[in-house]
Amino acid sequence: MKTSKVTIHTLKAMKERGDRITVLTAYDATFARLLDEAGADVLLVGDSLGMVIQGNDTTLPVTVEDMIYHCRAVARGARRAQIVGDMPFMSYQASIEQGLINAGRLMKEGGCHAVKLEGGAQHAELVRRLVGAGIPVMGHIGLTPQSFHQMGGFKVQGRESGGRERLLDDARALEQAGAYAIVLEGIPSEIASDITAALSIPTIGIGAGVGCDGQVLVIYDLLGMDDSFKPRFVRRYEQLGTRIRTAVQSYVDDVRSGAFPSEAESFALEPERKAAAAADTPVYSTGGKRG
Ligand code: KIV
């Protein structure tokens, strides 16, 4: 079946029709293929990879090179989904030129279809220049993890007096600058619904309630890879951390006891071909996908 690729126009039309948009993070080709086949509209190569892949406490150490590496892998795995690459910390904050160059690298070298950057009105001019250069931009306001130290931790944003107006102003500034969608992270549901109603571009929520045009989750959280991490806004659809540990424990036991590999999982020489067989028995077929 031929399915058309998701573009910024697809997402706008989805908002207009009231169809909810599904976004998930992806960091490699195998996950990208699975999430794409399962129907995710957008694959976000989030700088959350700094935490879930690299094991850092924050997203701050992630580099442009890291992002390009993972974006390229995701681009190889996906067919239909739009691929959005996160602009990492300090890849766009120092100057507009720096932002243009690094966003261009995510598109040219990483194979992304769009970039995402954190922050509101203060980045409106950069967004305008990126869009002018043909680079679609997804905004990201509310809890912006790159400002971890400025925010004093991963905290819900917008509850203070004037918080609703500040977030609305940021969202409007991004829309006016040409952003095609905005992630709303860690803000009260009422504010997220107000922003969604005020904009003609889609909002994608994470910890922002059901009133957004779409939702995003970190795929490792959705799959329950880390049993010690269960913030309120995450719904776990699997307990893969537990299941992976159980599967690997079985493997370890089987290797130790000699139950793996069995004869059926091993190769034997046929008595009459002892000399020739080793040379022409393929160990496995790659189907042209590896190597
Ligand atoms: O880096 C990331 O994964 C993100 C999403 C959680 C929105 O920015």
Side-chain angles (χ1 to χ4, degrees):
M1 189 180 67
K2 194 171 180 318
T3 42
S4 49
K5 287 186 184 280
V6 176
T7 68
I8 63 172
H9 305 291
T10 318
L11 301 176
K12 182 115 197 281
M14 286 177 80
K15 173 165 179 132
E16 283 160 10
R17 286 198 303 271
D19 293 346
R20 290 214 162 93
I21 299 164
T22 55
V23 184
L24 283 168
T25 66
Y27 314 106
D28 65 42
T30 300
F31 267 95
R33 178 176 56 76
L34 293 171
L35 308 186
D36 188 282
E37 287 169 359
D41 300 308
V42 178
L43 299 184
L44 169 64
V45 188
D47 62 356
S48 50
L49 69 84
M51 300 172 77
V52 296
I53 302 287
Q54 298 176 337
N56 299 302
D57 290 337
T58 70
T59 59
L60 305 194
V62 177
T63 65
V64 173
E65 265 62 35
D66 294 335
M67 291 307 306
I68 290 172
Y69 175 90
H70 288 279
C71 288
R72 208 185 294 134
V74 169
R76 286 193 203 106
R79 295 280 168 275
R80 170 185 169 271
Q82 183 190 55
I83 298 160
V84 181
D86 239 342
M87 297 281 285
F89 181 56
M90 291 318 292
S91 68
Y92 58 99
Q93 286 91 342
S95 71
I96 291 193
E97 284 62 36
Q98 182 203 35
L100 282 164
I101 289 166
N102 286 324
R105 290 192 67 197
L106 292 193
M107 305 283 284
K108 281 167 76 99
E109 299 172 49
C112 294
H113 307 144
V115 300
K116 176 169 83 56
L117 53 85
E118 297 183 8
Q122 78 272 33
H123 292 307
E125 184 51 27
L126 171 60
V127 172
R128 199 167 287 115
R129 293 281 301 276
L130 288 167
V131 172
I135 300 178
V137 180
M138 180 180 277
H140 182 162
I141 60 173
L143 192 170
T144 46
Q146 291 175 17
S147 307
F148 175 82
H149 295 291
Q150 186 71 34
M151 293 180 306
F154 296 118
K155 294 182 178 160
V156 173
Q157 301 293 301
R159 282 184 170 145
E160 74 284 4
S161 131
R164 175 182 173 279
E165 289 66 33
R166 180 177 55 81
L167 287 166
L168 264 167
D169 287 349
D170 279 336
R172 288 200 181 101
L174 289 170
E175 175 172 45
Q176 277 160 20
Y180 73 96
I182 304 181
V183 169
L184 305 179
E185 177 165 359
I187 63 175
S189 311
E190 298 86 343
I191 300 180
S193 297
D194 289 351
I195 295 173
T196 302
L199 301 184
S200 66
I201 57 173
T203 59
I204 310 294
I206 174 163
V210 76
C212 301
D213 297 306
Q215 297 292 327
V216 56
L217 279 179
V218 169
I219 187 63
Y220 281 28
D221 297 343
L222 177 155
L223 294 175
M225 299 287 262
D226 179 353
D227 350 87
S228 66
F229 184 70
K230 173 69 183 79
R232 178 186 175 121
F233 61 87
V234 167
R235 183 177 298 177
R236 279 191 194 146
Y237 288 85
E238 254 297 351
Q239 309 288 338
L240 277 200
T242 305
R243 287 168 61 123
I244 289 172
R245 247 192 324 270
T246 305
V248 174
Q249 273 159 8
S250 300
Y251 165 78
V252 168
D253 291 347
D254 286 353
V255 170
R256 287 191 179 143
S257 70
F260 176 81
S262 66
E263 265 182 40
E265 289 154 337
S266 308
F267 306 96
L269 280 177
E270 295 162 27
E272 68 280 11
R273 297 189 63 221
K274 269 191 179 155
D280 61 17
T281 303
V283 175
Y284 60 78
S285 163
T286 64
K289 284 188 183 155
R290 298 188 196 174

